[in-house]
Each structure stands twice: as C-alpha cells, then as structure tokens.
Amino acid sequence: QVQYVESGGGLVEPGGSVRLTCVASGFPFSNYAMSWYRQAPGKEREFVVTIGSAGRNTNYENSVKGRFTISRDNAKNTVYLQMNSLKPEDTAVYYCKATSRTYDQWGRGTQVTVSS
C-alpha cells in the first residue's frame, strides 16, 4: 500500500517562491532515490529533479537548475522541493515518486500556478 501525498502548492506571482512537500509511505523510504515530476495542461508529465537515497546526489532538469532545490528528511519519510524565481512556464501539477518504483500509482499531486 504505497502512498505519495503532495502538498504546498498554490497561486504565486512571477519571481515568487513556494516549497512543496511530499510524504511517502509503504516502502523503505531511506533506501530509494526520490524524484519530482510535473505536468502542465496539454503537455506530458516530465521529470524535474531527483535526489539520492542519502540526500547528497542531485540531478536537475535544465530549465529549473539554479532555481529549484530538492531535499529530503529520511526520519520523516519526506522530500521537499524549494522553488524560487518562479516563471509562468513553471505552472503545472507537481508529483513525487521513488525514482525506480515505476509501477507505483501516482499521488494526486499539488497545483502550482504562477500568475501573469
């Protein structure tokens, strides 16, 4: 019974910041790399960033590099996404998932809307 529960999204002005939270359960969280993904209307779900199981190694999609920061707290089974300098093109539903757990059901995600 794997679950991913995303929260923290909302309406943000261009240039603003928001922090997303994902609480995972049903698997040994600290053994898995975790990733954030996003899906905008009319587009496919895309990779945003991943973080290694120990929280040190990270890999960012080029368009968010330098603006977004991923982190995790293994004691809380939680991964975060700090998003700064937001742009209208960041508007999307944001999802988290253990990177290698391809067949897990997606959570409901959290909507981030950057106003124009």
Side-chain angles (χ1 to χ4, degrees):
Q1 193 175 352
V2 175
Q3 284 187 265
Y4 303 96
V5 181
E6 301 94 344
S7 63
L11 179 61
V12 191
E13 296 180 3
S17 297
V18 69
R19 189 172 83 151
L20 308 184
T21 297
C22 168
V23 179
S25 60
F27 65 95
F29 181 83
S30 63
N31 291 346
Y32 285 82
M34 294 291 296
S35 293
W36 285 95
Y37 307 82
R38 66 186 180 185
Q39 186 169 28
K43 296 186 177 181
E44 300 301 315
R45 182 181 281 113
E46 68 174 358
F47 167 82
V48 177
V49 61
T50 191
I51 186 167
S53 60
R56 190 160 188 255
N57 293 335
T58 57
N59 287 292
Y60 294 85
E61 195 275 327
N62 190 57
S63 69
V64 309
K65 194 170 185 177
R67 300 188 298 121
F68 292 8
T69 303
I70 190 171
S71 61
R72 67 190 292 163
D73 185 341
N74 284 346
K76 296 181 178 181
N77 285 12
T78 300
V79 61
Y80 305 94
L81 184 63
Q82 178 67 46
M83 305 192 295
N84 300 328
S85 302
L86 284 163
K87 305 175 180 179
E89 51 263 46
D90 296 317
T91 295
V93 179
Y94 285 73
Y95 303 87
C96 67
K97 189 186 279 189
T99 313
S100 66
R101 297 183 67 92
T102 307
Y103 300 104
D104 284 353
Q105 185 173 350
W106 296 96
R108 285 186 277 234
T110 185
Q111 175 75 47
V112 175
T113 302
V114 185
S115 66
S116 57

